[in-house]
Amino acid sequence: MKFTAFLKTRGATAAIFMGIFYAVAMLGIFLPGYTAIPGNVDKLPIAIINDDAGKNGAMIAENLQENLPFKEIETDITNKQALKDLEHNDLALVVHIPKTFSENIQKGEASSSIDFTINEAGATVVSSTMNSVVTEINSQLSTQFSQQTAQGVLMNFNVPEKQAAELAEKIEKSYVGNVVTINEIPDGMNHNMLPMFLTMAGYVGAMIGAMQLVGAFRASRGKASKTRLFTYVQMAALLIAVVSSIIAVGVAYLIDKPSGDLFFGIVGQQILNYMVCFNFTAILIFLFGEGGMILNLPILLMQTIANGATITRDMMHAPYEWTSHISPMYYSVQAYFANLFGSISPSPYIWSMAAVGAVAMLINMAIVAFLHKPMPVQVSETEVEKKAAEITA
């Protein structure tokens, strides 16, 4: 057999096709998706709340609105509501200028600070970007207010040495930026990526499981009704979901050591994640057989960007943002962030994920009911003998 003949075999042609297809799909999806960083940072919503009774607060608020690189800046909102929105990741940063800010600046008190609040329980790009922005703002404000205080000091040249030392300290501490981080994530990239990795483990396992179980469904046609076989497929998937989820969460606990109180909640979500992803990926396989697996790959790649672990919906390009609304991975990742590190309930994300799974299962039921032709059920010799014995008896 010549090499050229070997290359024409089904396995070789399939391997060539998948090598080219996967390379084009991965680069064609990932590279455009990540152009949103840092290009779409300006789409992140922030809030600036000025409660200062003096002039300094208004001046700072106005300067921040003019100079910060964000298109959506909320100002007509209370600090309490802004912090609540921040917990739900509806805001990326909350800047709060307190009521006594101008008064404290004039007195040169170290308590003259502005609060910058960041939520770590969300997309990694958001928290890192906001930390960089806050560092730059604080550096500029510290310089600005130190210069203002120095101008007042220079008006008093002939002062005793002790008083001069006090004034120097006053200049240095005229402004102190107060960075507040809520829902802190432990150090280590493994913690930041745990929501995505748990979700990916369930999704990829479910996608491969869908290919195998739907294959078993097709191979078993004629041995039982298609309704019974579909039920068997779902039961087998649930069994795999339970076993694989316990093992997956166990591995996560060995390495990342989350709170023990969360164990059963995480296992329950991982089981739901598997079942939703199973039915979601099974749609194309029920429709196109093994060819559906090829189509599932780019959908998986789309969701690795659209799941919100790295960038938020606000930053995503339109196709990825649209995908996030029907993506099991998006709702799973957000639920894990809320459950593992957040201070809000994961229930809205859990219910959204369950809704995606329910719709996917209904679609699969419709495909089996209307597109898969019924086949006569073959009765085995054992069953024939058993029935004959019953009739004789």
Side-chain angles (χ1 to χ4, degrees):
M1 184 180 189
K2 294 182 178 180
F3 181 62
T4 53
F6 178 79
L7 289 177
K8 294 177 182 179
T9 61
R10 183 179 178 183
T13 54
I16 294 169
F17 172 79
M18 287 304 296
I20 297 171
F21 175 80
Y22 193 75
V24 172
M26 187 169 186
L27 295 174
I29 290 171
F30 276 13
L31 294 182
Y34 281 112
T35 59
I37 308 169
N40 288 353
V41 166
D42 60 344
K43 293 183 178 180
L44 292 173
I46 71 168
I48 300 175
I49 300 98
N50 176 31
D51 291 331
D52 184 23
K55 295 180 179 179
N56 285 310
M59 177 189 67
I60 292 173
E62 184 178 349
N63 287 338
L64 290 176
Q65 289 181 62
E66 291 177 356
N67 297 317
L68 285 179
F70 302 108
K71 295 178 180 178
E72 187 177 342
I73 301 178
E74 292 191 41
T75 55
D76 189 17
I77 187 174
T78 65
N79 188 51
K80 183 178 180 181
Q81 182 60 47
L83 292 176
K84 185 177 179 180
D85 290 345
L86 182 69
E87 286 184 344
H88 287 81
N89 286 314
D90 294 328
L91 290 172
L93 171 68
V94 174
V95 182
H96 178 229
I97 305 172
K99 185 177 181 179
T100 58
F101 179 75
S102 290
E103 181 182 346
N104 292 335
I105 283 290
Q106 290 173 359
K107 294 178 181 178
E109 295 181 2
S111 59
S112 55
S113 63
I114 296 174
D115 295 330
F116 299 88
T117 309
I118 302 166
N119 184 9
E120 282 197 355
T124 54
V125 167
V126 174
S127 58
S128 61
T129 299
M130 291 303 118
N131 271 304
S132 299
V133 169
V134 169
T135 299
E136 181 63 24
I137 293 172
N138 277 329
S139 175
Q140 292 181 7
L141 289 177
S142 180
T143 301
Q144 177 183 344
F145 283 107
S146 293
Q147 288 175 348
Q148 287 184 5
T149 307
Q151 288 175 1
V153 172
L154 291 173
M155 297 174 65
N156 302 284
F157 285 107
N158 300 316
V159 292
E161 183 178 349
K162 183 178 179 181
Q163 189 176 353
E166 291 176 355
L167 289 172
E169 185 178 356
K170 182 178 178 181
I171 294 173
E172 184 179 352
K173 296 183 178 179
S174 61
Y175 169 79
V176 178
N178 183 31
V179 182
V180 181
T181 302
I182 63 172
N183 303 325
E184 290 190 37
I185 297 177
D187 293 335
M189 200 66 179
N190 55 309
H191 295 289
N192 290 81
M193 300 306 292
L194 180 59
M196 181 175 174
F197 288 160
L198 277 171
T199 299
M200 287 282 290
Y203 191 101
V204 174
M207 184 172 68
I208 297 172
M211 182 181 68
Q212 299 295 335
L213 289 177
V214 174
F217 170 89
R218 291 175 178 272
S220 301
R221 295 294 305 277
K223 297 179 181 179
S225 68
K226 59 183 182 180
T227 301
R228 175 172 290 189
L229 288 175
F230 183 81
T231 304
Y232 288 167
V233 166
Q234 296 295 328
M235 290 172 62
L238 180 59
L239 176 62
I240 297 168
V242 172
V243 175
S244 64
S245 296
I246 292 173
I247 294 173
V249 175
V251 172
Y253 267 79
L254 285 173
I255 299 171
D256 278 28
K257 299 177 177 61
S259 171
D261 297 339
L262 301 174
F263 181 82
F264 291 106
I266 297 173
V267 169
Q269 181 183 331
Q270 190 69 0
I271 292 171
L272 176 64
N273 175 43
Y274 186 98
M275 290 303 297
V276 172
C277 295
F278 174 84
N279 280 283
F280 185 81
T281 56
I283 293 173
L284 292 173
I285 301 174
F286 271 120
L287 281 173
F288 306 112
E290 291 184 0
M293 194 68 174
I294 298 174
L295 299 175
N296 270 325
L297 285 174
I299 295 173
L300 167 64
L301 296 176
M302 283 285 289
Q303 290 181 84
T304 56
I305 295 177
N307 64 34
T310 306
I311 58 178
T312 65
R313 273 179 176 167
D314 301 297
M315 295 178 65
M316 294 175 192
H317 296 306
Y320 303 90
E321 195 268 333
W322 297 335
T323 300
S324 72
H325 290 283
I326 60 168
S327 164
M329 287 182 66
Y330 176 84
Y331 297 115
S332 178
V333 167
Q334 301 311 310
Y336 274 132
F337 269 124
N339 201 7
L340 288 166
F341 309 117
S343 52
I344 60 172
S345 172
S347 296
Y349 303 112
I350 296 290
W351 283 111
S352 296
M353 181 165 56
V356 171
V359 172
M361 181 180 284
L362 289 173
I363 292 173
N364 286 325
M365 292 170 66
I367 293 170
V368 170
F370 299 111
L371 298 183
H372 287 248
K373 294 180 180 180
M375 294 178 62
V377 178
Q378 300 174 359
V379 182
S380 66
E381 293 182 5
T382 304
E383 290 178 341
V384 171
E385 292 174 0
K386 189 182 291 185
K387 288 183 178 178
E390 291 175 353
I391 293 172
T392 305

